């Protein structure tokens, strides 16, 4: 028994030592963002002598990060919300009416879980709809891009809700709209929260799409603004570090609050539960 | 009861349209454009047959190298992520006090922007002052210090290590979920029969984790195939073209205005992903039947 306890303590120590591989670069990033220019360029592990919080103000001002922060919020937020509705409605019907065509549609959605986006022809498509480089184009693109995962998650969850519920609701006078929005959708809440979080994170972290389709800097999201700032201010590592911290902070906050939902969403593909 | 009335088909339409128009259609018309000389300097788009593919596979050796770089990147990072992910999962599956915090720490990089991670690691790999070289010097291995990202030989391993750092936590979580499905009674029985830890690991745990291995292998291969942000942030495909992969080549061809050619590269990535996705769907749908 005593050996078992010792083993557990030992395992804990080993695990914490390994975790330094994750923590050290993050720690380095944070302390560098608070040093002065000379100290930051040395990139040492020692904490700053004086905490230069003003680096953050400088970075926000010179990187025009307020605008980009709002852009990211708008793009990630609206596409996450649109996706939750379109994906849940589609998955509801696909899961309940498993006709041959609906099965085919479901598999057609699953292809999108892995297929890469062809950004160049995406530009062409956006031009056809006259929404290239606009917020609308961006949101439309994300909404389409997020469908496969949304449908996949909802489809599995809806299958676990008994059909008798639908029948009872219809007998009680629901039509398909009220059945879905008043009865089914509230039951999907855990998946909805998971999806809102994951969709938001995916869209927030995306760099490639804006790189291809957003040419006007006023519409840049955080990732692009940070990359651009890095290109211009390579010598000011303290400011570059501060912008990197500012891009990841919202995601870290969401991660800490919604950890349970994130993990359940990410693993549901592997293990049903 | 009339199913068509309760579950109206138009519920599917909006999502299906957005997905079809903005995701699948570009991929499909991409196949058509890959057979043209579509570019930034000429308004006419001319059909040129398989010329783009001929350039990629026959005439220019560069692109074959990028494709093989992509394959190496995908396979090597997948292997390391799975090995480290499994080790972490086995440690953090034991019941000790701080394991939940540790799980969160290891998972954290998965949620962060790959671009931000790439930029962050630029400082870690810096020649004189970077963390890696500082640590090597500190333990007396000064002769191993180098400019990791500027070395033709070591840039690729450096980039791959960042990808491994980023996604090992994902593999860990998949394995942890898989470990939950193994009935404890089997372990008790094996213990009674006198099986030691390693025998239990190899004979019981790993076979039970087969579905988790499948998911991790397929998903990570696909992510490896799609890699862009991390490489673009760290090396931009450099030094020279030592770390160029399919997606960086797509971007640089696009920047040069060679749209048709860039699309042809995209079609190759799409084809490989389709092949892998076929496996994913087989795996996912088979599991649905089993459970």
């Amino acid at each position: 028994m005593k050996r078992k306890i010792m083993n557990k303590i030992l395992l804990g120590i080993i695990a914490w030592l390994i975790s330094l591989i994750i923590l050290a670069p993050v720690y380095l990033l944070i302390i560098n963002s608070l040093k002065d220019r000379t100290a930051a360029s040395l990139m040492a592990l020692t904490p700053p002598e004086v905490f230069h919080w003003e680096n953050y103000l400088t970075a926000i001002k010179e990187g025009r990060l307020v605008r980009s922060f709002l852009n990211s919020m708008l793009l990630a937020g609206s596409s996450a919300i649109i996706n939750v509705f379109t994906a849940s409605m589609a998955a509801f019907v696909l899961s309940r009416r498993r006709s041959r065509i609906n099965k085919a549609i479901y598999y057609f959605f699953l292809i999108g879980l892995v297929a890469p986006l062809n950004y160049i022809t995406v530009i062409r498509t956006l031009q056809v709809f006259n929404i290239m480089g606009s917020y609308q184009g961006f949101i439309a693109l994300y909404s389409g891009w997020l469908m496969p995962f949304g449908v996949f998650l909802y489809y599995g969850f809806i299958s676990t809700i008994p059909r008798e519920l639908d029948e009872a609701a219809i007998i009680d006078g629901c039509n398909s709209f009220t059945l879905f929005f008043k009865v089914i959708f509230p039951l999907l809440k855990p998946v909805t929260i998971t999806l809102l979080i994951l969709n938001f994170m995916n869209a927030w972290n995306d760099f490639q799409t804006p790189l291809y389709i957003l040419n006007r800097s006023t519409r840049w999201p955080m990732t692009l603004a940070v990359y651009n700032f890095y290109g211009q201010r390579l010598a000011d590592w303290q400011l570059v570090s501060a912008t990197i911290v500012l891009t990841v902070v919202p995601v870290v906050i969401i991660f800490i609050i919604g950890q349970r939902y994130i993990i359940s969403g990410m693993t549901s593909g592997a293990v049903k539960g | 009861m009339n199913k068509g009335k309760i579950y109206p088909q138009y519920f599917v339409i909006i999502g299906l349209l957005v997905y079809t128009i903005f995701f699948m259609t570009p991929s499909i018309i991409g196949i058509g454009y890959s057979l043209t000389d579509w570019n930034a300097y000429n308004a006419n788009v001319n059909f040129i047959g398989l010329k783009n593919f001929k350039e990629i596979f026959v005439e220019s050796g560069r692109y074959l190298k990028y494709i093989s770089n992509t394959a190496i990147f995908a396979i090597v990072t997948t292997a390391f992520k799975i090995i480290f992910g499994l080790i972490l999962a086995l440690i953090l599956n034991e019941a000790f006090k701080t394991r939940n915090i540790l799980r969160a720490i290891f998972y954290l990089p998965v949620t962060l922007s790959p671009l931000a991670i790439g930029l962050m690691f630029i400082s870690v790999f810096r020649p004189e002052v970077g963390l890696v070289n500082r640590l090597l010097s500190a333990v007396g291995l000064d002769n191993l210090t180098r400019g990791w990202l500027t070395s033709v030989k070591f840039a690729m391993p450096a980039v791959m290590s960042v990808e491994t750092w980023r996604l090992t936590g994902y593999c860990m979580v998949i394995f942890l979920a898989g470990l939950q499905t193994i009935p404890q009674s089997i372990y008790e029985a094996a213990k009674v029969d006198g099986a030691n830890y390693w025998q239990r690991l190899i004979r019981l745990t790993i076979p039970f984790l087969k579905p988790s291995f499948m998911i991790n292998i397929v998903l990570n291969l696909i992510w490896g195939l799609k890699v862009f942000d991390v490489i673009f942030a760290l090396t931009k495909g450099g030094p020279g073209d030592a770390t160029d992969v399919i997606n960086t080549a797509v971007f640089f061809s696009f920047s040069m205005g060679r749209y048709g050619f860039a699309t042809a590269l995209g079609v190759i990535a799409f084809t490989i992903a389709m092949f892998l996705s076929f496996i994913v769907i087989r795996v996912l749908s088979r599991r649905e039947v089993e459970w």
Side-chain angles (χ1 to χ4, degrees), chain A residues 8 16 21 42 102 108 111-112 114 121 124 166 176 205 227 230 266-267 270, chain B residues 7 9 19 26 33 95 98 107 111 134 165 173 222 226 236 274 277 287:
Chain A
K8 280 195 175 149
W16 276 103
I21 299 171
L42 288 174
N102 280 350
F108 181 61
I111 291 171
V114 286
T121 40
R124 193 88 181 139
D166 306 1
S176 46
N205 288 340
Y227 184 73
Y230 156 79
M266 293 300 250
T267 52
Chain B
Y7 311 121
Q9 205 64 35
Y19 169 71
Y33 274 113
T98 50
Y107 192 77
T111 63
R134 274 175 189 274
W165 183 91
V173 163
I222 290 165
K226 291 187 188 175
K236 276 201 160 181
M274 276 333 246
S277 80
R287 297 174 53 72

mmCIF file of all heavy atoms in Angstrom, chain A residues 8 16 21 42 102 108 111-112 114 121 124 166 176 205 227 230 266-267 270, chain B residues 7 9 19 26 33 95 98 107 111 134 165 173 222 226 236 274 277 287:
data_model
loop_
_atom_site.group_PDB
_atom_site.id
_atom_site.type_symbol
_atom_site.label_atom_id
_atom_site.label_comp_id
_atom_site.label_asym_id
_atom_site.label_seq_id
_atom_site.Cartn_x
_atom_site.Cartn_y
_atom_site.Cartn_z
ATOM 1 N N LYS A 8 2.556 6.805 -6.848
ATOM 2 C CA LYS A 8 1.704 7.885 -7.340
ATOM 3 C C LYS A 8 2.377 9.229 -7.212
ATOM 4 O O LYS A 8 2.282 10.067 -8.100
ATOM 5 C CB LYS A 8 0.369 7.880 -6.592
ATOM 6 C CG LYS A 8 -0.494 6.824 -7.205
ATOM 7 C CD LYS A 8 -1.912 6.909 -6.838
ATOM 8 C CE LYS A 8 -2.637 5.836 -7.642
ATOM 9 N NZ LYS A 8 -3.787 5.313 -6.953
ATOM 10 N N TRP A 16 4.731 16.421 -13.814
ATOM 11 C CA TRP A 16 4.971 17.867 -13.700
ATOM 12 C C TRP A 16 6.265 18.268 -14.400
ATOM 13 O O TRP A 16 6.329 19.327 -15.026
ATOM 14 C CB TRP A 16 4.992 18.322 -12.235
ATOM 15 C CG TRP A 16 3.598 18.569 -11.732
ATOM 16 C CD1 TRP A 16 2.869 17.754 -10.923
ATOM 17 C CD2 TRP A 16 2.755 19.691 -12.036
ATOM 18 N NE1 TRP A 16 1.625 18.286 -10.707
ATOM 19 C CE2 TRP A 16 1.529 19.473 -11.365
ATOM 20 C CE3 TRP A 16 2.911 20.843 -12.808
ATOM 21 C CZ2 TRP A 16 0.453 20.383 -11.447
ATOM 22 C CZ3 TRP A 16 1.858 21.736 -12.889
ATOM 23 C CH2 TRP A 16 0.646 21.505 -12.214
ATOM 24 N N ILE A 21 7.862 21.189 -20.502
ATOM 25 C CA ILE A 21 8.045 21.342 -21.951
ATOM 26 C C ILE A 21 6.934 22.218 -22.523
ATOM 27 O O ILE A 21 7.152 23.017 -23.424
ATOM 28 C CB ILE A 21 8.048 19.953 -22.650
ATOM 29 C CG1 ILE A 21 9.203 19.111 -22.122
ATOM 30 C CG2 ILE A 21 8.141 20.105 -24.164
ATOM 31 C CD1 ILE A 21 9.178 17.670 -22.586
ATOM 32 N N LEU A 42 17.230 39.444 -25.432
ATOM 33 C CA LEU A 42 18.083 38.378 -24.894
ATOM 34 C C LEU A 42 17.305 37.083 -24.665
ATOM 35 O O LEU A 42 17.893 36.013 -24.553
ATOM 36 C CB LEU A 42 18.717 38.831 -23.576
ATOM 37 C CG LEU A 42 19.808 39.877 -23.722
ATOM 38 C CD1 LEU A 42 20.267 40.367 -22.353
ATOM 39 C CD2 LEU A 42 20.998 39.311 -24.494
ATOM 40 N N ASN A 102 -30.954 10.976 -47.643
ATOM 41 C CA ASN A 102 -30.427 11.622 -46.443
ATOM 42 C C ASN A 102 -29.139 10.976 -45.950
ATOM 43 O O ASN A 102 -28.262 11.652 -45.424
ATOM 44 C CB ASN A 102 -31.478 11.607 -45.337
ATOM 45 C CG ASN A 102 -32.495 12.724 -45.542
ATOM 46 O OD1 ASN A 102 -32.289 13.595 -46.389
ATOM 47 N ND2 ASN A 102 -33.559 12.693 -44.778
ATOM 48 N N PHE A 108 -21.946 12.983 -47.467
ATOM 49 C CA PHE A 108 -21.436 14.134 -48.206
ATOM 50 C C PHE A 108 -20.902 15.182 -47.222
ATOM 51 O O PHE A 108 -19.839 15.773 -47.427
ATOM 52 C CB PHE A 108 -22.569 14.704 -49.065
ATOM 53 C CG PHE A 108 -22.177 15.887 -49.912
ATOM 54 C CD1 PHE A 108 -21.196 15.776 -50.874
ATOM 55 C CD2 PHE A 108 -22.818 17.112 -49.752
ATOM 56 C CE1 PHE A 108 -20.854 16.862 -51.661
ATOM 57 C CE2 PHE A 108 -22.479 18.206 -50.540
ATOM 58 C CZ PHE A 108 -21.493 18.072 -51.486
ATOM 59 N N ILE A 111 -17.479 14.083 -45.615
ATOM 60 C CA ILE A 111 -16.297 14.314 -46.455
ATOM 61 C C ILE A 111 -15.608 15.604 -46.025
ATOM 62 O O ILE A 111 -14.392 15.690 -45.949
ATOM 63 C CB ILE A 111 -16.695 14.407 -47.947
ATOM 64 C CG1 ILE A 111 -17.162 13.046 -48.455
ATOM 65 C CG2 ILE A 111 -15.525 14.897 -48.786
ATOM 66 C CD1 ILE A 111 -17.769 13.102 -49.845
ATOM 67 N N GLY A 112 -16.418 16.606 -45.693
ATOM 68 C CA GLY A 112 -15.879 17.905 -45.312
ATOM 69 C C GLY A 112 -15.097 17.891 -44.010
ATOM 70 O O GLY A 112 -14.392 18.852 -43.695
ATOM 71 N N VAL A 114 -12.608 16.160 -43.455
ATOM 72 C CA VAL A 114 -11.186 15.984 -43.765
ATOM 73 C C VAL A 114 -10.740 16.695 -45.036
ATOM 74 O O VAL A 114 -9.565 17.002 -45.175
ATOM 75 C CB VAL A 114 -10.820 14.491 -43.883
ATOM 76 C CG1 VAL A 114 -10.777 13.853 -42.528
ATOM 77 C CG2 VAL A 114 -11.760 13.783 -44.801
ATOM 78 N N THR A 121 -9.984 28.626 -55.649
ATOM 79 C CA THR A 121 -11.304 28.591 -56.274
ATOM 80 C C THR A 121 -12.376 29.145 -55.325
ATOM 81 O O THR A 121 -13.423 29.593 -55.783
ATOM 82 C CB THR A 121 -11.671 27.168 -56.730
ATOM 83 O OG1 THR A 121 -11.234 26.248 -55.740
ATOM 84 C CG2 THR A 121 -11.008 26.849 -58.044
ATOM 85 N N ARG A 124 -12.705 32.616 -56.300
ATOM 86 C CA ARG A 124 -13.525 32.677 -57.511
ATOM 87 C C ARG A 124 -15.014 32.638 -57.144
ATOM 88 O O ARG A 124 -15.814 33.446 -57.632
ATOM 89 C CB ARG A 124 -13.163 31.464 -58.385
ATOM 90 C CG ARG A 124 -13.682 31.546 -59.769
ATOM 91 C CD ARG A 124 -12.681 32.278 -60.650
ATOM 92 N NE ARG A 124 -13.177 32.396 -62.011
ATOM 93 C CZ ARG A 124 -13.048 33.481 -62.737
ATOM 94 N NH1 ARG A 124 -12.460 34.548 -62.221
ATOM 95 N NH2 ARG A 124 -13.486 33.509 -63.960
ATOM 96 N N ASP A 166 -40.886 13.136 -30.081
ATOM 97 C CA ASP A 166 -41.382 13.880 -31.239
ATOM 98 C C ASP A 166 -42.869 13.607 -31.418
ATOM 99 O O ASP A 166 -43.671 14.523 -31.614
ATOM 100 C CB ASP A 166 -40.668 13.441 -32.527
ATOM 101 C CG ASP A 166 -39.162 13.529 -32.419
ATOM 102 O OD1 ASP A 166 -38.680 13.914 -31.343
ATOM 103 O OD2 ASP A 166 -38.487 13.218 -33.405
ATOM 104 N N SER A 176 -43.568 21.196 -37.030
ATOM 105 C CA SER A 176 -42.160 20.796 -37.052
ATOM 106 C C SER A 176 -41.251 21.894 -36.486
ATOM 107 O O SER A 176 -40.235 21.607 -35.854
ATOM 108 C CB SER A 176 -41.746 20.402 -38.460
ATOM 109 O OG SER A 176 -42.198 21.349 -39.382
ATOM 110 N N ASN A 205 -8.771 31.211 -34.464
ATOM 111 C CA ASN A 205 -7.378 30.818 -34.697
ATOM 112 C C ASN A 205 -7.005 30.757 -36.172
ATOM 113 O O ASN A 205 -5.836 30.620 -36.514
ATOM 114 C CB ASN A 205 -7.107 29.439 -34.087
ATOM 115 C CG ASN A 205 -7.058 29.485 -32.578
ATOM 116 O OD1 ASN A 205 -6.868 30.549 -31.984
ATOM 117 N ND2 ASN A 205 -7.226 28.346 -31.939
ATOM 118 N N TYR A 227 0.515 38.658 -37.368
ATOM 119 C CA TYR A 227 1.554 38.237 -38.303
ATOM 120 C C TYR A 227 2.183 39.448 -38.981
ATOM 121 O O TYR A 227 3.405 39.534 -39.138
ATOM 122 C CB TYR A 227 0.979 37.285 -39.346
ATOM 123 C CG TYR A 227 2.048 36.771 -40.267
ATOM 124 C CD1 TYR A 227 2.975 35.838 -39.815
ATOM 125 C CD2 TYR A 227 2.177 37.259 -41.553
ATOM 126 C CE1 TYR A 227 3.996 35.390 -40.631
ATOM 127 C CE2 TYR A 227 3.189 36.816 -42.385
ATOM 128 C CZ TYR A 227 4.095 35.882 -41.919
ATOM 129 O OH TYR A 227 5.112 35.451 -42.716
ATOM 130 N N TYR A 230 4.403 41.291 -36.575
ATOM 131 C CA TYR A 230 5.665 40.564 -36.418
ATOM 132 C C TYR A 230 6.620 40.894 -37.567
ATOM 133 O O TYR A 230 7.808 41.125 -37.365
ATOM 134 C CB TYR A 230 5.383 39.057 -36.339
ATOM 135 C CG TYR A 230 6.539 38.193 -36.751
ATOM 136 C CD1 TYR A 230 7.601 37.960 -35.875
ATOM 137 C CD2 TYR A 230 6.579 37.600 -38.016
ATOM 138 C CE1 TYR A 230 8.673 37.172 -36.263
ATOM 139 C CE2 TYR A 230 7.643 36.814 -38.404
ATOM 140 C CZ TYR A 230 8.688 36.603 -37.535
ATOM 141 O OH TYR A 230 9.741 35.834 -37.911
ATOM 142 N N MET A 266 -14.176 17.171 -28.635
ATOM 143 C CA MET A 266 -13.030 16.685 -29.386
ATOM 144 C C MET A 266 -12.921 15.167 -29.335
ATOM 145 O O MET A 266 -12.365 14.568 -30.238
ATOM 146 C CB MET A 266 -11.734 17.294 -28.848
ATOM 147 C CG MET A 266 -11.630 18.783 -29.083
ATOM 148 S SD MET A 266 -11.681 19.225 -30.822
ATOM 149 C CE MET A 266 -10.011 19.754 -31.072
ATOM 150 N N THR A 267 -13.422 14.554 -28.273
ATOM 151 C CA THR A 267 -13.272 13.103 -28.183
ATOM 152 C C THR A 267 -14.478 12.363 -28.734
ATOM 153 O O THR A 267 -14.403 11.172 -28.963
ATOM 154 C CB THR A 267 -13.072 12.645 -26.730
ATOM 155 O OG1 THR A 267 -14.108 13.207 -25.944
ATOM 156 C CG2 THR A 267 -11.731 13.073 -26.197
ATOM 157 N N ALA A 270 -14.055 9.955 -31.408
ATOM 158 C CA ALA A 270 -13.308 8.729 -31.164
ATOM 159 C C ALA A 270 -14.092 7.761 -30.305
ATOM 160 O O ALA A 270 -14.075 6.566 -30.524
ATOM 161 C CB ALA A 270 -11.994 9.058 -30.477
ATOM 162 N N TYR B 7 -40.521 15.975 -40.142
ATOM 163 C CA TYR B 7 -39.091 16.244 -40.369
ATOM 164 C C TYR B 7 -38.917 16.799 -41.769
ATOM 165 O O TYR B 7 -38.496 16.089 -42.687
ATOM 166 C CB TYR B 7 -38.277 14.957 -40.205
ATOM 167 C CG TYR B 7 -38.586 14.203 -38.947
ATOM 168 C CD1 TYR B 7 -39.049 12.896 -38.988
ATOM 169 C CD2 TYR B 7 -38.409 14.802 -37.702
ATOM 170 C CE1 TYR B 7 -39.326 12.200 -37.827
ATOM 171 C CE2 TYR B 7 -38.690 14.113 -36.538
ATOM 172 C CZ TYR B 7 -39.155 12.814 -36.609
ATOM 173 O OH TYR B 7 -39.434 12.133 -35.469
ATOM 174 N N GLN B 9 -37.790 18.339 -45.194
ATOM 175 C CA GLN B 9 -36.495 18.288 -45.874
ATOM 176 C C GLN B 9 -35.840 19.667 -45.946
ATOM 177 O O GLN B 9 -34.625 19.775 -45.989
ATOM 178 C CB GLN B 9 -36.692 17.710 -47.282
ATOM 179 C CG GLN B 9 -35.457 17.052 -47.867
ATOM 180 C CD GLN B 9 -35.006 15.821 -47.094
ATOM 181 O OE1 GLN B 9 -35.820 15.072 -46.580
ATOM 182 N NE2 GLN B 9 -33.708 15.638 -46.969
ATOM 183 N N TYR B 19 -22.776 24.830 -47.381
ATOM 184 C CA TYR B 19 -21.661 23.884 -47.425
ATOM 185 C C TYR B 19 -21.280 23.549 -48.863
ATOM 186 O O TYR B 19 -20.100 23.565 -49.228
ATOM 187 C CB TYR B 19 -22.061 22.623 -46.650
ATOM 188 C CG TYR B 19 -21.134 21.457 -46.805
ATOM 189 C CD1 TYR B 19 -19.861 21.469 -46.234
ATOM 190 C CD2 TYR B 19 -21.525 20.317 -47.506
ATOM 191 C CE1 TYR B 19 -19.018 20.389 -46.369
ATOM 192 C CE2 TYR B 19 -20.688 19.229 -47.632
ATOM 193 C CZ TYR B 19 -19.434 19.270 -47.073
ATOM 194 O OH TYR B 19 -18.595 18.193 -47.198
ATOM 195 N N PRO B 26 -16.027 24.793 -54.669
ATOM 196 C CA PRO B 26 -14.669 25.219 -55.006
ATOM 197 C C PRO B 26 -13.726 24.042 -55.210
ATOM 198 O O PRO B 26 -12.889 24.051 -56.108
ATOM 199 C CB PRO B 26 -14.245 26.053 -53.797
ATOM 200 C CG PRO B 26 -15.508 26.562 -53.226
ATOM 201 C CD PRO B 26 -16.515 25.481 -53.452
ATOM 202 N N TYR B 33 -10.241 23.850 -63.050
ATOM 203 C CA TYR B 33 -9.236 24.917 -63.176
ATOM 204 C C TYR B 33 -7.805 24.380 -63.169
ATOM 205 O O TYR B 33 -6.899 25.015 -63.701
ATOM 206 C CB TYR B 33 -9.401 25.938 -62.052
ATOM 207 C CG TYR B 33 -10.412 27.009 -62.361
ATOM 208 C CD1 TYR B 33 -11.598 27.106 -61.648
ATOM 209 C CD2 TYR B 33 -10.173 27.927 -63.380
ATOM 210 C CE1 TYR B 33 -12.532 28.082 -61.928
ATOM 211 C CE2 TYR B 33 -11.101 28.903 -63.674
ATOM 212 C CZ TYR B 33 -12.272 28.990 -62.947
ATOM 213 O OH TYR B 33 -13.188 29.960 -63.240
ATOM 214 N N ALA B 95 -4.848 7.607 -10.759
ATOM 215 C CA ALA B 95 -5.540 8.570 -9.904
ATOM 216 C C ALA B 95 -4.550 9.249 -8.965
ATOM 217 O O ALA B 95 -4.163 8.692 -7.956
ATOM 218 C CB ALA B 95 -6.624 7.868 -9.099
ATOM 219 N N THR B 98 -3.109 15.963 -8.792
ATOM 220 C CA THR B 98 -3.077 17.102 -9.714
ATOM 221 C C THR B 98 -3.316 16.695 -11.162
ATOM 222 O O THR B 98 -3.021 17.452 -12.069
ATOM 223 C CB THR B 98 -1.714 17.800 -9.609
ATOM 224 O OG1 THR B 98 -0.698 16.805 -9.726
ATOM 225 C CG2 THR B 98 -1.571 18.535 -8.303
ATOM 226 N N TYR B 107 -3.274 19.735 -22.743
ATOM 227 C CA TYR B 107 -4.238 19.933 -23.826
ATOM 228 C C TYR B 107 -4.228 21.371 -24.340
ATOM 229 O O TYR B 107 -4.590 21.616 -25.494
ATOM 230 C CB TYR B 107 -5.648 19.542 -23.361
ATOM 231 C CG TYR B 107 -6.608 19.457 -24.513
ATOM 232 C CD1 TYR B 107 -6.587 18.352 -25.352
ATOM 233 C CD2 TYR B 107 -7.480 20.485 -24.798
ATOM 234 C CE1 TYR B 107 -7.423 18.276 -26.436
ATOM 235 C CE2 TYR B 107 -8.330 20.414 -25.893
ATOM 236 C CZ TYR B 107 -8.293 19.305 -26.700
ATOM 237 O OH TYR B 107 -9.111 19.233 -27.787
ATOM 238 N N THR B 111 -5.633 24.108 -28.324
ATOM 239 C CA THR B 111 -6.641 25.145 -28.528
ATOM 240 C C THR B 111 -6.042 26.458 -29.042
ATOM 241 O O THR B 111 -6.777 27.332 -29.477
ATOM 242 C CB THR B 111 -7.378 25.449 -27.209
ATOM 243 O OG1 THR B 111 -6.433 25.961 -26.269
ATOM 244 C CG2 THR B 111 -8.018 24.206 -26.641
ATOM 245 N N ARG B 134 20.144 27.704 -25.208
ATOM 246 C CA ARG B 134 20.503 28.003 -23.819
ATOM 247 C C ARG B 134 20.539 26.727 -22.983
ATOM 248 O O ARG B 134 21.452 26.528 -22.180
ATOM 249 C CB ARG B 134 19.496 28.974 -23.201
ATOM 250 C CG ARG B 134 19.804 30.432 -23.465
ATOM 251 C CD ARG B 134 18.682 31.297 -22.916
ATOM 252 N NE ARG B 134 18.831 32.670 -23.341
ATOM 253 C CZ ARG B 134 19.576 33.564 -22.698
ATOM 254 N NH1 ARG B 134 20.221 33.232 -21.597
ATOM 255 N NH2 ARG B 134 19.674 34.796 -23.148
ATOM 256 N N TRP B 165 4.665 19.266 -30.323
ATOM 257 C CA TRP B 165 4.369 20.012 -29.093
ATOM 258 C C TRP B 165 2.899 20.442 -29.078
ATOM 259 O O TRP B 165 2.217 20.347 -28.071
ATOM 260 C CB TRP B 165 5.270 21.243 -29.056
ATOM 261 C CG TRP B 165 5.174 22.108 -27.829
ATOM 262 C CD1 TRP B 165 5.926 21.989 -26.693
ATOM 263 C CD2 TRP B 165 4.309 23.235 -27.628
ATOM 264 N NE1 TRP B 165 5.565 22.971 -25.801
ATOM 265 C CE2 TRP B 165 4.583 23.748 -26.338
ATOM 266 C CE3 TRP B 165 3.339 23.874 -28.394
ATOM 267 C CZ2 TRP B 165 3.929 24.860 -25.808
ATOM 268 C CZ3 TRP B 165 2.671 24.969 -27.869
ATOM 269 C CH2 TRP B 165 2.979 25.457 -26.590
ATOM 270 N N VAL B 173 -5.729 13.001 -25.097
ATOM 271 C CA VAL B 173 -7.144 13.017 -24.710
ATOM 272 C C VAL B 173 -7.904 11.866 -25.373
ATOM 273 O O VAL B 173 -8.745 11.215 -24.745
ATOM 274 C CB VAL B 173 -7.753 14.389 -25.069
ATOM 275 C CG1 VAL B 173 -9.263 14.328 -25.075
ATOM 276 C CG2 VAL B 173 -7.280 15.431 -24.076
ATOM 277 N N ILE B 222 -4.088 13.450 -41.643
ATOM 278 C CA ILE B 222 -4.797 14.479 -42.411
ATOM 279 C C ILE B 222 -4.335 15.876 -41.995
ATOM 280 O O ILE B 222 -4.078 16.738 -42.837
ATOM 281 C CB ILE B 222 -6.314 14.317 -42.244
ATOM 282 C CG1 ILE B 222 -6.761 13.056 -42.970
ATOM 283 C CG2 ILE B 222 -7.053 15.528 -42.774
ATOM 284 C CD1 ILE B 222 -8.137 12.580 -42.613
ATOM 285 N N LYS B 226 -2.397 18.833 -44.216
ATOM 286 C CA LYS B 226 -2.907 20.194 -44.384
ATOM 287 C C LYS B 226 -2.003 21.252 -43.754
ATOM 288 O O LYS B 226 -2.366 22.423 -43.731
ATOM 289 C CB LYS B 226 -4.284 20.302 -43.722
ATOM 290 C CG LYS B 226 -5.384 19.543 -44.411
ATOM 291 C CD LYS B 226 -6.685 19.900 -43.722
ATOM 292 C CE LYS B 226 -7.837 19.066 -44.179
ATOM 293 N NZ LYS B 226 -9.039 19.372 -43.404
ATOM 294 N N LYS B 236 8.586 29.895 -43.290
ATOM 295 C CA LYS B 236 8.079 30.238 -44.626
ATOM 296 C C LYS B 236 8.587 29.251 -45.680
ATOM 297 O O LYS B 236 8.815 29.630 -46.831
ATOM 298 C CB LYS B 236 8.504 31.648 -45.006
ATOM 299 C CG LYS B 236 7.584 32.705 -44.459
ATOM 300 C CD LYS B 236 7.733 33.976 -45.257
ATOM 301 C CE LYS B 236 6.514 34.844 -45.045
ATOM 302 N NZ LYS B 236 6.596 36.074 -45.800
ATOM 303 N N MET B 274 -9.067 12.878 -49.720
ATOM 304 C CA MET B 274 -10.258 12.081 -50.027
ATOM 305 C C MET B 274 -10.003 10.626 -49.707
ATOM 306 O O MET B 274 -10.839 9.942 -49.119
ATOM 307 C CB MET B 274 -10.589 12.193 -51.524
ATOM 308 C CG MET B 274 -11.395 13.382 -51.910
ATOM 309 S SD MET B 274 -12.336 13.917 -50.663
ATOM 310 C CE MET B 274 -13.641 13.906 -50.597
ATOM 311 N N SER B 277 -10.017 10.263 -46.126
ATOM 312 C CA SER B 277 -11.360 10.463 -45.567
ATOM 313 C C SER B 277 -12.215 9.233 -45.781
ATOM 314 O O SER B 277 -13.074 8.903 -44.967
ATOM 315 C CB SER B 277 -12.028 11.687 -46.180
ATOM 316 O OG SER B 277 -12.565 11.378 -47.434
ATOM 317 N N ARG B 287 -17.923 1.846 -36.398
ATOM 318 C CA ARG B 287 -18.059 1.941 -34.948
ATOM 319 C C ARG B 287 -19.516 2.149 -34.552
ATOM 320 O O ARG B 287 -19.964 1.643 -33.548
ATOM 321 C CB ARG B 287 -17.218 3.083 -34.422
ATOM 322 C CG ARG B 287 -15.757 2.844 -34.695
ATOM 323 C CD ARG B 287 -14.964 4.053 -34.309
ATOM 324 N NE ARG B 287 -15.272 4.430 -32.956
ATOM 325 C CZ ARG B 287 -14.883 3.757 -31.907
ATOM 326 N NH1 ARG B 287 -14.198 2.670 -32.066
ATOM 327 N NH2 ARG B 287 -15.189 4.153 -30.702
#
